[in-house]
Amino acid sequence: GAVVSQHPSRVICKSGTSVKIECRSLDFQATTMFWYRQFPKKSLMLMATSNEGSKATYEQGVEKDKFLINHASLTLSTLTVTSAHPEDSSFYICSAPRLGAKETQYFGPGTRLLVL
Amino acid sequence: AQSVTQLDSHVSVSEGTPVLLRCNYSSSYSPSLFWYVQHPNKGLQLLLKYTSAATLVKGINGFEAEFKKSETSFHLTKPSAHMSDAAEYFCVVSDPQAGTALIFGKGTTLSVSS
């Protein structure tokens, strides 16, 4: 099956620093990738849609200047949490639909961010 | 807008007994519906999906779900629970207005006791 990886799997950082999270589709190309946030005991909340070669589309209430998304190639999207604060601590998950198989999404294993 | 409601936040069953996880959806379009499972410290895994073909959908690990348009339901069932089924389960609907982004239910925690 298709594989999506995320790196790092876990990161701890100081308040005020920036953290970059990578999402890669390992064996297929994805012109679109999605970034979700999951709080403890909560559902996944869509943050933004990452589009290869163009600007990301953010959901209402998500600060685009705080959560920078870059989709540099057909297999890589990055989410940078800028000037992180403790309230940004969460589990971030990316997903990618395989080209030609729009209904099937492949999820990364997630990145747990802890901001001290 | 599309939405999905998981009627139970927590379901507890004994090993070997049937599992029923309930899900209702709201959609203005012909929806695509999915069930995903999330085990602790692991990524989301697709159990099964409905995309306007057969209304009874069979998935992995013995799970199945039936799409009932008249009841706007997509309940997940399994005849006999196994300890390894203990996990978080999400009912999900696709939103065509947002491309292929998924709308998640709040999740149901399934506990299985021996």
Side-chain angles (χ1 to χ4, degrees):
Chain A
V3 177
V4 174
S5 70
Q6 281 184 242
H7 177 79
S9 58
R10 185 185 295 265
V11 57
I12 301 173
C13 69
K14 292 182 179 179
S15 187
T17 61
S18 294
V19 175
K20 180 186 283 188
I21 303 170
E22 294 185 347
C23 176
R24 291 181 187 273
S25 55
L26 297 184
D27 56 354
F28 66 99
Q29 294 182 329
T31 55
T32 302
M33 291 184 176
F34 301 96
W35 286 97
Y36 295 84
R37 183 172 178 175
Q38 185 180 33
F39 294 95
K41 306 290 186 184
K42 296 281 186 181
S43 183
L44 277 71
M45 180 193 77
L46 178 65
M47 296 175 66
T49 303
S50 172
N51 304 299
E52 189 269 335
S54 64
K55 290 183 180 180
T57 305
Y58 291 82
E59 296 301 301
Q60 191 172 10
V62 178
E63 299 176 60
K64 61 179 69 174
D65 294 330
K66 180 164 190 61
F67 298 100
L68 300 179
I69 291 173
N70 182 272
H71 198 138
S73 74
L74 287 171
T75 59
L76 172 65
S77 174
T78 60
L79 168 68
T80 301
V81 183
T82 62
S83 185
H85 290 282
E87 57 265 31
D88 298 325
S89 299
S90 192
F91 194 53
Y92 294 88
I93 303 173
C94 71
S95 73
R98 196 175 195 143
L99 281 180
K102 289 168 66 173
E103 297 293 352
T104 301
Q105 297 240 9
Y106 299 94
F107 284 83
T111 297
R112 188 163 300 283
L113 170 64
L114 177 61
V115 184
L116 301 176
Chain B
Q2 304 201 345
S3 66
V4 62
T5 302
Q6 290 182 245
L7 299 168
D8 307 294
S9 59
H10 198 153
V11 171
S12 296
V13 300
S14 299
E15 192 174 22
T17 63
V19 175
L20 170 63
L21 304 183
R22 298 182 295 165
C23 172
N24 286 105
Y25 69 90
S26 173
S27 174
S28 302
Y29 306 90
S30 297
S32 291
L33 293 157
F34 311 79
W35 276 97
Y36 281 86
V37 60
Q38 186 180 36
H39 287 92
N41 301 314
K42 293 200 173 181
L44 285 157
Q45 182 183 21
L46 179 66
L47 277 179
L48 49 82
K49 63 180 179 181
Y50 165 78
T51 54
S52 75
T55 56
L56 182 61
V57 182
K58 293 187 183 299
I60 61 172
N61 300 336
F63 284 94
E64 62 181 39
E66 186 172 7
F67 174 73
K68 291 186 176 181
K69 188 174 182 179
S70 60
E71 299 176 10
T72 61
S73 69
F74 190 58
H75 301 333
L76 180 70
T77 60
K78 183 173 180 176
S80 175
H82 193 272
M83 295 294 285
S84 61
D85 294 328
E88 189 79 16
Y89 291 80
F90 294 98
C91 183
V92 181
V93 63
S94 67
D95 181 355
Q97 291 184 322
T100 53
L102 302 177
I103 308 299
F104 280 75
K106 292 189 176 179
T108 298
T109 303
L110 176 64
S111 300
V112 182
S113 58
S114 57

